[in-house]
Amino acid sequence: MATHRIGITLSAMQFLKILFWCLLAFIAAVFTLGNWTSVPIKLWGGMEALVNLPLLLLLTFLAGLVPTLLWHSTLRWRLRNRLAAAERALHDLRVTVAPTPAPTLRPDPVVIDARPVDPA
């Protein structure tokens, strides 16, 4: 029964994810259609370029997103390598400093005299 509940929860979460992305795409499409105007951009030498506003916004968004993603993935790669090196060093330490098993000491056998004691 618990597996069934987990399956329902996962499918509900998947539905919410798809719904979120569909709403985001719809909002982006409405924004694009509402703001489809050309914006002049001044270039060097007195030239001007006419660029659609949604394309310009997408380019500026990507100009900020791509370096951040590169930095984040590089940081994750470095941290993963550092963690792997630390785990290797710890494993090597555990292998070299592994305690040797202590010898088992057996006590001397106790000899019990089975002869009765003479009270005299």
PDB file of all heavy atoms in Angstrom, residues 26-54:
ATOM      1  N   PHE A  26       3.350  29.585 -21.401  1.00  0.00           N
ATOM      2  CA  PHE A  26       2.210  30.402 -21.816  1.00  0.00           C
ATOM      3  C   PHE A  26       2.444  31.876 -21.493  1.00  0.00           C
ATOM      4  O   PHE A  26       2.201  32.748 -22.331  1.00  0.00           O
ATOM      5  CB  PHE A  26       0.934  29.903 -21.122  1.00  0.00           C
ATOM      6  CG  PHE A  26      -0.272  30.734 -21.428  1.00  0.00           C
ATOM      7  CD1 PHE A  26      -0.889  30.635 -22.667  1.00  0.00           C
ATOM      8  CD2 PHE A  26      -0.786  31.609 -20.482  1.00  0.00           C
ATOM      9  CE1 PHE A  26      -2.008  31.407 -22.957  1.00  0.00           C
ATOM     10  CE2 PHE A  26      -1.889  32.382 -20.759  1.00  0.00           C
ATOM     11  CZ  PHE A  26      -2.507  32.278 -22.003  1.00  0.00           C
ATOM     12  N   ILE A  27       2.964  32.154 -20.315  1.00  0.00           N
ATOM     13  CA  ILE A  27       3.248  33.543 -19.925  1.00  0.00           C
ATOM     14  C   ILE A  27       4.322  34.127 -20.834  1.00  0.00           C
ATOM     15  O   ILE A  27       4.225  35.291 -21.265  1.00  0.00           O
ATOM     16  CB  ILE A  27       3.658  33.611 -18.442  1.00  0.00           C
ATOM     17  CG1 ILE A  27       2.442  33.317 -17.561  1.00  0.00           C
ATOM     18  CG2 ILE A  27       4.256  34.957 -18.085  1.00  0.00           C
ATOM     19  CD1 ILE A  27       2.765  33.137 -16.100  1.00  0.00           C
ATOM     20  N   ALA A  28       5.345  33.350 -21.158  1.00  0.00           N
ATOM     21  CA  ALA A  28       6.390  33.838 -22.061  1.00  0.00           C
ATOM     22  C   ALA A  28       5.825  34.110 -23.447  1.00  0.00           C
ATOM     23  O   ALA A  28       6.193  35.108 -24.096  1.00  0.00           O
ATOM     24  CB  ALA A  28       7.528  32.821 -22.137  1.00  0.00           C
ATOM     25  N   ALA A  29       4.912  33.251 -23.931  1.00  0.00           N
ATOM     26  CA  ALA A  29       4.319  33.461 -25.257  1.00  0.00           C
ATOM     27  C   ALA A  29       3.446  34.715 -25.265  1.00  0.00           C
ATOM     28  O   ALA A  29       3.488  35.503 -26.218  1.00  0.00           O
ATOM     29  CB  ALA A  29       3.502  32.241 -25.657  1.00  0.00           C
ATOM     30  N   VAL A  30       2.657  34.917 -24.217  1.00  0.00           N
ATOM     31  CA  VAL A  30       1.813  36.127 -24.139  1.00  0.00           C
ATOM     32  C   VAL A  30       2.689  37.367 -24.078  1.00  0.00           C
ATOM     33  O   VAL A  30       2.418  38.373 -24.737  1.00  0.00           O
ATOM     34  CB  VAL A  30       0.862  36.031 -22.928  1.00  0.00           C
ATOM     35  CG1 VAL A  30       0.181  37.367 -22.653  1.00  0.00           C
ATOM     36  CG2 VAL A  30      -0.173  34.944 -23.150  1.00  0.00           C
ATOM     37  N   PHE A  31       3.767  37.316 -23.293  1.00  0.00           N
ATOM     38  CA  PHE A  31       4.677  38.456 -23.209  1.00  0.00           C
ATOM     39  C   PHE A  31       5.321  38.739 -24.561  1.00  0.00           C
ATOM     40  O   PHE A  31       5.439  39.891 -24.979  1.00  0.00           O
ATOM     41  CB  PHE A  31       5.760  38.172 -22.165  1.00  0.00           C
ATOM     42  CG  PHE A  31       6.801  39.246 -22.082  1.00  0.00           C
ATOM     43  CD1 PHE A  31       6.560  40.410 -21.392  1.00  0.00           C
ATOM     44  CD2 PHE A  31       8.029  39.091 -22.710  1.00  0.00           C
ATOM     45  CE1 PHE A  31       7.515  41.411 -21.320  1.00  0.00           C
ATOM     46  CE2 PHE A  31       8.993  40.073 -22.650  1.00  0.00           C
ATOM     47  CZ  PHE A  31       8.737  41.241 -21.950  1.00  0.00           C
ATOM     48  N   THR A  32       5.722  37.677 -25.255  1.00  0.00           N
ATOM     49  CA  THR A  32       6.359  37.840 -26.559  1.00  0.00           C
ATOM     50  C   THR A  32       5.403  38.470 -27.562  1.00  0.00           C
ATOM     51  O   THR A  32       5.769  39.404 -28.292  1.00  0.00           O
ATOM     52  CB  THR A  32       6.854  36.480 -27.083  1.00  0.00           C
ATOM     53  OG1 THR A  32       7.779  35.948 -26.139  1.00  0.00           O
ATOM     54  CG2 THR A  32       7.542  36.619 -28.419  1.00  0.00           C
ATOM     55  N   LEU A  33       4.172  37.990 -27.595  1.00  0.00           N
ATOM     56  CA  LEU A  33       3.196  38.550 -28.540  1.00  0.00           C
ATOM     57  C   LEU A  33       2.833  39.984 -28.191  1.00  0.00           C
ATOM     58  O   LEU A  33       2.620  40.811 -29.076  1.00  0.00           O
ATOM     59  CB  LEU A  33       1.938  37.678 -28.574  1.00  0.00           C
ATOM     60  CG  LEU A  33       2.128  36.298 -29.205  1.00  0.00           C
ATOM     61  CD1 LEU A  33       0.854  35.484 -29.060  1.00  0.00           C
ATOM     62  CD2 LEU A  33       2.530  36.424 -30.659  1.00  0.00           C
ATOM     63  N   GLY A  34       2.768  40.295 -26.915  1.00  0.00           N
ATOM     64  CA  GLY A  34       2.412  41.657 -26.504  1.00  0.00           C
ATOM     65  C   GLY A  34       3.529  42.666 -26.707  1.00  0.00           C
ATOM     66  O   GLY A  34       3.278  43.873 -26.789  1.00  0.00           O
ATOM     67  N   ASN A  35       4.767  42.211 -26.758  1.00  0.00           N
ATOM     68  CA  ASN A  35       5.912  43.126 -26.851  1.00  0.00           C
ATOM     69  C   ASN A  35       6.733  42.891 -28.111  1.00  0.00           C
ATOM     70  O   ASN A  35       7.955  43.077 -28.114  1.00  0.00           O
ATOM     71  CB  ASN A  35       6.813  42.956 -25.621  1.00  0.00           C
ATOM     72  CG  ASN A  35       6.154  43.430 -24.364  1.00  0.00           C
ATOM     73  OD1 ASN A  35       5.690  44.555 -24.293  1.00  0.00           O
ATOM     74  ND2 ASN A  35       6.078  42.554 -23.383  1.00  0.00           N
ATOM     75  N   TRP A  36       6.095  42.502 -29.188  1.00  0.00           N
ATOM     76  CA  TRP A  36       6.824  42.229 -30.421  1.00  0.00           C
ATOM     77  C   TRP A  36       7.096  43.542 -31.137  1.00  0.00           C
ATOM     78  O   TRP A  36       6.446  43.894 -32.106  1.00  0.00           O
ATOM     79  CB  TRP A  36       6.027  41.279 -31.307  1.00  0.00           C
ATOM     80  CG  TRP A  36       6.884  40.661 -32.361  1.00  0.00           C
ATOM     81  CD1 TRP A  36       7.018  41.080 -33.639  1.00  0.00           C
ATOM     82  CD2 TRP A  36       7.739  39.542 -32.210  1.00  0.00           C
ATOM     83  NE1 TRP A  36       7.906  40.290 -34.313  1.00  0.00           N
ATOM     84  CE2 TRP A  36       8.369  39.328 -33.450  1.00  0.00           C
ATOM     85  CE3 TRP A  36       8.056  38.700 -31.151  1.00  0.00           C
ATOM     86  CZ2 TRP A  36       9.277  38.306 -33.663  1.00  0.00           C
ATOM     87  CZ3 TRP A  36       8.956  37.682 -31.363  1.00  0.00           C
ATOM     88  CH2 TRP A  36       9.555  37.492 -32.610  1.00  0.00           C
ATOM     89  N   THR A  37       8.044  44.273 -30.626  1.00  0.00           N
ATOM     90  CA  THR A  37       8.438  45.542 -31.250  1.00  0.00           C
ATOM     91  C   THR A  37       9.933  45.502 -31.512  1.00  0.00           C
ATOM     92  O   THR A  37      10.674  44.752 -30.877  1.00  0.00           O
ATOM     93  CB  THR A  37       8.126  46.741 -30.326  1.00  0.00           C
ATOM     94  OG1 THR A  37       8.820  46.566 -29.095  1.00  0.00           O
ATOM     95  CG2 THR A  37       6.637  46.863 -30.072  1.00  0.00           C
ATOM     96  N   SER A  38      10.357  46.330 -32.439  1.00  0.00           N
ATOM     97  CA  SER A  38      11.784  46.414 -32.752  1.00  0.00           C
ATOM     98  C   SER A  38      12.419  47.496 -31.898  1.00  0.00           C
ATOM     99  O   SER A  38      11.871  48.584 -31.732  1.00  0.00           O
ATOM    100  CB  SER A  38      11.991  46.729 -34.233  1.00  0.00           C
ATOM    101  OG  SER A  38      11.514  45.652 -35.011  1.00  0.00           O
ATOM    102  N   VAL A  39      13.570  47.182 -31.375  1.00  0.00           N
ATOM    103  CA  VAL A  39      14.304  48.106 -30.520  1.00  0.00           C
ATOM    104  C   VAL A  39      15.619  48.429 -31.219  1.00  0.00           C
ATOM    105  O   VAL A  39      16.359  47.524 -31.606  1.00  0.00           O
ATOM    106  CB  VAL A  39      14.573  47.463 -29.146  1.00  0.00           C
ATOM    107  CG1 VAL A  39      15.373  48.395 -28.262  1.00  0.00           C
ATOM    108  CG2 VAL A  39      13.285  47.065 -28.475  1.00  0.00           C
ATOM    109  N   PRO A  40      15.933  49.732 -31.396  1.00  0.00           N
ATOM    110  CA  PRO A  40      17.220  50.068 -32.032  1.00  0.00           C
ATOM    111  C   PRO A  40      18.367  49.938 -31.025  1.00  0.00           C
ATOM    112  O   PRO A  40      18.268  50.375 -29.889  1.00  0.00           O
ATOM    113  CB  PRO A  40      17.040  51.519 -32.465  1.00  0.00           C
ATOM    114  CG  PRO A  40      16.001  52.061 -31.557  1.00  0.00           C
ATOM    115  CD  PRO A  40      15.113  50.916 -31.177  1.00  0.00           C
ATOM    116  N   ILE A  41      19.438  49.303 -31.475  1.00  0.00           N
ATOM    117  CA  ILE A  41      20.649  49.191 -30.661  1.00  0.00           C
ATOM    118  C   ILE A  41      21.751  49.916 -31.407  1.00  0.00           C
ATOM    119  O   ILE A  41      22.020  49.631 -32.572  1.00  0.00           O
ATOM    120  CB  ILE A  41      21.033  47.711 -30.451  1.00  0.00           C
ATOM    121  CG1 ILE A  41      19.931  46.985 -29.687  1.00  0.00           C
ATOM    122  CG2 ILE A  41      22.350  47.600 -29.711  1.00  0.00           C
ATOM    123  CD1 ILE A  41      20.213  45.516 -29.497  1.00  0.00           C
ATOM    124  N   LYS A  42      22.392  50.857 -30.730  1.00  0.00           N
ATOM    125  CA  LYS A  42      23.469  51.628 -31.354  1.00  0.00           C
ATOM    126  C   LYS A  42      24.749  50.818 -31.319  1.00  0.00           C
ATOM    127  O   LYS A  42      25.191  50.357 -30.270  1.00  0.00           O
ATOM    128  CB  LYS A  42      23.660  52.959 -30.641  1.00  0.00           C
ATOM    129  CG  LYS A  42      22.478  53.881 -30.805  1.00  0.00           C
ATOM    130  CD  LYS A  42      22.725  55.208 -30.131  1.00  0.00           C
ATOM    131  CE  LYS A  42      21.485  56.078 -30.269  1.00  0.00           C
ATOM    132  NZ  LYS A  42      21.632  57.345 -29.593  1.00  0.00           N
ATOM    133  N   LEU A  43      25.352  50.655 -32.484  1.00  0.00           N
ATOM    134  CA  LEU A  43      26.612  49.935 -32.611  1.00  0.00           C
ATOM    135  C   LEU A  43      27.725  50.930 -32.897  1.00  0.00           C
ATOM    136  O   LEU A  43      27.514  52.131 -32.972  1.00  0.00           O
ATOM    137  CB  LEU A  43      26.502  48.897 -33.732  1.00  0.00           C
ATOM    138  CG  LEU A  43      25.393  47.854 -33.565  1.00  0.00           C
ATOM    139  CD1 LEU A  43      25.291  47.001 -34.805  1.00  0.00           C
ATOM    140  CD2 LEU A  43      25.650  46.999 -32.350  1.00  0.00           C
ATOM    141  N   TRP A  44      28.942  50.422 -33.071  1.00  0.00           N
ATOM    142  CA  TRP A  44      30.073  51.282 -33.367  1.00  0.00           C
ATOM    143  C   TRP A  44      29.947  51.862 -34.777  1.00  0.00           C
ATOM    144  O   TRP A  44      29.263  51.322 -35.629  1.00  0.00           O
ATOM    145  CB  TRP A  44      31.375  50.494 -33.216  1.00  0.00           C
ATOM    146  CG  TRP A  44      31.439  49.305 -34.136  1.00  0.00           C
ATOM    147  CD1 TRP A  44      31.974  49.278 -35.368  1.00  0.00           C
ATOM    148  CD2 TRP A  44      30.911  48.004 -33.902  1.00  0.00           C
ATOM    149  NE1 TRP A  44      31.830  48.043 -35.933  1.00  0.00           N
ATOM    150  CE2 TRP A  44      31.176  47.240 -35.055  1.00  0.00           C
ATOM    151  CE3 TRP A  44      30.240  47.406 -32.842  1.00  0.00           C
ATOM    152  CZ2 TRP A  44      30.809  45.901 -35.165  1.00  0.00           C
ATOM    153  CZ3 TRP A  44      29.878  46.087 -32.959  1.00  0.00           C
ATOM    154  CH2 TRP A  44      30.155  45.359 -34.106  1.00  0.00           C
ATOM    155  N   GLY A  45      30.581  52.959 -34.972  1.00  0.00           N
ATOM    156  CA  GLY A  45      30.605  53.590 -36.289  1.00  0.00           C
ATOM    157  C   GLY A  45      29.275  54.211 -36.683  1.00  0.00           C
ATOM    158  O   GLY A  45      29.008  54.408 -37.864  1.00  0.00           O
ATOM    159  N   GLY A  46      28.419  54.521 -35.719  1.00  0.00           N
ATOM    160  CA  GLY A  46      27.148  55.156 -36.038  1.00  0.00           C
ATOM    161  C   GLY A  46      26.108  54.197 -36.605  1.00  0.00           C
ATOM    162  O   GLY A  46      25.072  54.643 -37.097  1.00  0.00           O
ATOM    163  N   MET A  47      26.350  52.907 -36.570  1.00  0.00           N
ATOM    164  CA  MET A  47      25.378  51.946 -37.100  1.00  0.00           C
ATOM    165  C   MET A  47      24.328  51.632 -36.036  1.00  0.00           C
ATOM    166  O   MET A  47      24.569  51.758 -34.846  1.00  0.00           O
ATOM    167  CB  MET A  47      26.084  50.649 -37.519  1.00  0.00           C
ATOM    168  CG  MET A  47      27.084  50.853 -38.636  1.00  0.00           C
ATOM    169  SD  MET A  47      27.822  49.340 -39.320  1.00  0.00           S
ATOM    170  CE  MET A  47      27.991  48.256 -37.974  1.00  0.00           C
ATOM    171  N   GLU A  48      23.171  51.252 -36.524  1.00  0.00           N
ATOM    172  CA  GLU A  48      22.090  50.840 -35.641  1.00  0.00           C
ATOM    173  C   GLU A  48      21.579  49.482 -36.073  1.00  0.00           C
ATOM    174  O   GLU A  48      21.481  49.197 -37.262  1.00  0.00           O
ATOM    175  CB  GLU A  48      20.927  51.840 -35.692  1.00  0.00           C
ATOM    176  CG  GLU A  48      21.081  53.013 -34.775  1.00  0.00           C
ATOM    177  CD  GLU A  48      19.792  53.826 -34.673  1.00  0.00           C
ATOM    178  OE1 GLU A  48      18.762  53.407 -35.241  1.00  0.00           O
ATOM    179  OE2 GLU A  48      19.826  54.871 -34.035  1.00  0.00           O
ATOM    180  N   ALA A  49      21.235  48.657 -35.102  1.00  0.00           N
ATOM    181  CA  ALA A  49      20.656  47.349 -35.391  1.00  0.00           C
ATOM    182  C   ALA A  49      19.255  47.318 -34.787  1.00  0.00           C
ATOM    183  O   ALA A  49      19.051  47.726 -33.652  1.00  0.00           O
ATOM    184  CB  ALA A  49      21.501  46.241 -34.793  1.00  0.00           C
ATOM    185  N   LEU A  50      18.298  46.862 -35.568  1.00  0.00           N
ATOM    186  CA  LEU A  50      16.935  46.708 -35.071  1.00  0.00           C
ATOM    187  C   LEU A  50      16.752  45.263 -34.625  1.00  0.00           C
ATOM    188  O   LEU A  50      16.880  44.328 -35.412  1.00  0.00           O
ATOM    189  CB  LEU A  50      15.922  47.064 -36.154  1.00  0.00           C
ATOM    190  CG  LEU A  50      15.847  48.546 -36.513  1.00  0.00           C
ATOM    191  CD1 LEU A  50      14.865  48.767 -37.664  1.00  0.00           C
ATOM    192  CD2 LEU A  50      15.423  49.363 -35.315  1.00  0.00           C
ATOM    193  N   VAL A  51      16.472  45.088 -33.346  1.00  0.00           N
ATOM    194  CA  VAL A  51      16.333  43.754 -32.761  1.00  0.00           C
ATOM    195  C   VAL A  51      14.972  43.688 -32.084  1.00  0.00           C
ATOM    196  O   VAL A  51      14.539  44.647 -31.437  1.00  0.00           O
ATOM    197  CB  VAL A  51      17.449  43.491 -31.727  1.00  0.00           C
ATOM    198  CG1 VAL A  51      17.316  42.121 -31.119  1.00  0.00           C
ATOM    199  CG2 VAL A  51      18.805  43.647 -32.356  1.00  0.00           C
ATOM    200  N   ASN A  52      14.289  42.560 -32.244  1.00  0.00           N
ATOM    201  CA  ASN A  52      13.013  42.392 -31.560  1.00  0.00           C
ATOM    202  C   ASN A  52      13.250  42.335 -30.051  1.00  0.00           C
ATOM    203  O   ASN A  52      14.215  41.743 -29.575  1.00  0.00           O
ATOM    204  CB  ASN A  52      12.321  41.108 -32.014  1.00  0.00           C
ATOM    205  CG  ASN A  52      11.808  41.229 -33.426  1.00  0.00           C
ATOM    206  OD1 ASN A  52      11.488  42.322 -33.881  1.00  0.00           O
ATOM    207  ND2 ASN A  52      11.745  40.106 -34.120  1.00  0.00           N
ATOM    208  N   LEU A  53      12.351  42.944 -29.296  1.00  0.00           N
ATOM    209  CA  LEU A  53      12.500  43.037 -27.842  1.00  0.00           C
ATOM    210  C   LEU A  53      12.561  41.665 -27.162  1.00  0.00           C
ATOM    211  O   LEU A  53      13.430  41.457 -26.313  1.00  0.00           O
ATOM    212  CB  LEU A  53      11.369  43.880 -27.249  1.00  0.00           C
ATOM    213  CG  LEU A  53      11.415  44.108 -25.741  1.00  0.00           C
ATOM    214  CD1 LEU A  53      12.685  44.855 -25.371  1.00  0.00           C
ATOM    215  CD2 LEU A  53      10.192  44.860 -25.285  1.00  0.00           C
ATOM    216  N   PRO A  54      11.706  40.695 -27.502  1.00  0.00           N
ATOM    217  CA  PRO A  54      11.826  39.386 -26.837  1.00  0.00           C
ATOM    218  C   PRO A  54      13.169  38.703 -27.110  1.00  0.00           C
ATOM    219  O   PRO A  54      13.743  38.073 -26.214  1.00  0.00           O
ATOM    220  CB  PRO A  54      10.680  38.567 -27.429  1.00  0.00           C
ATOM    221  CG  PRO A  54       9.684  39.578 -27.852  1.00  0.00           C
ATOM    222  CD  PRO A  54      10.487  40.757 -28.301  1.00  0.00           C
TER     223      PRO A  54
END
